[in-house]
Amino acid sequence: MNIETLRDYCLTKAGVTESFPFGETTLVFKVGGKIFALADIESRPTTVNLKCDPERAVQLRDEYSAVMPGYHMNKTHWNTVLIDGSVRSSMVQEWIDHSYELVRKSLPKAIREQLN
């Protein structure tokens, strides 16, 4: 997975928007106006911050050396993932799905219904 495939995958989700609110190199993906993923488009390897259930976040950090506490984020709820080839793309996609669903579930019902 690289920044292009990561971007393409995030944009397949219902209601996702992308923007650069934090500068030219931080690509932000939102659903219902709330962030679920941030990617540094210039980092090599690519990095992405993803929201995560707190218990699962700790488990992933213990299991994968490419998963660290979220850089510049609430480290309880966010992980930074190095897309360095050590983690299968399907796993990264699963983590993107998890982040998206966590944020989607936190949205008001009226907004969630608009996303279907």
Side-chain angles (χ1 to χ4, degrees):
M1 180 174 278
N2 58 33
I3 189 64
E4 290 85 12
T5 56
L6 184 140
R7 176 182 177 267
D8 290 345
Y9 188 76
C10 288
L11 292 175
T12 66
K13 306 278 179 216
V16 170
T17 61
E18 64 179 335
S19 62
F20 288 89
F22 305 120
E24 298 174 356
T25 64
T26 305
L27 178 56
V28 175
F29 298 95
K30 296 180 181 180
V31 59
K34 294 191 176 231
I35 297 171
F36 74 94
L38 302 95
D40 183 340
I41 63 171
E42 290 188 343
S43 70
R44 298 295 177 262
T46 299
T47 60
V48 61
N49 285 7
L50 299 169
K51 192 156 189 150
C52 192
D53 171 75
E55 284 184 30
R56 186 175 183 192
V58 172
Q59 290 172 341
L60 293 175
R61 293 172 199 164
D62 289 344
E63 188 173 345
Y64 298 94
S65 61
V67 180
M68 301 157 284
Y71 182 69
H72 284 303
M73 306 297 282
N74 179 326
K75 289 160 184 28
T76 301
H77 297 278
W78 289 86
N79 280 336
T80 295
V81 181
L82 290 175
I83 312 295
D84 62 0
S86 66
V87 177
R88 292 186 325 272
S89 293
S90 61
M91 287 300 299
V92 177
Q93 289 175 341
E94 181 183 315
W95 299 338
I96 291 169
D97 294 346
H98 176 68
S99 180
Y100 174 86
E101 286 302 322
L102 281 175
V103 174
R104 188 177 182 279
K105 287 177 185 174
S106 74
L107 297 172
K109 184 178 179 183
I111 294 174
R112 284 195 317 266
E113 289 174 351
Q114 291 174 1
L115 298 174
N116 293 333

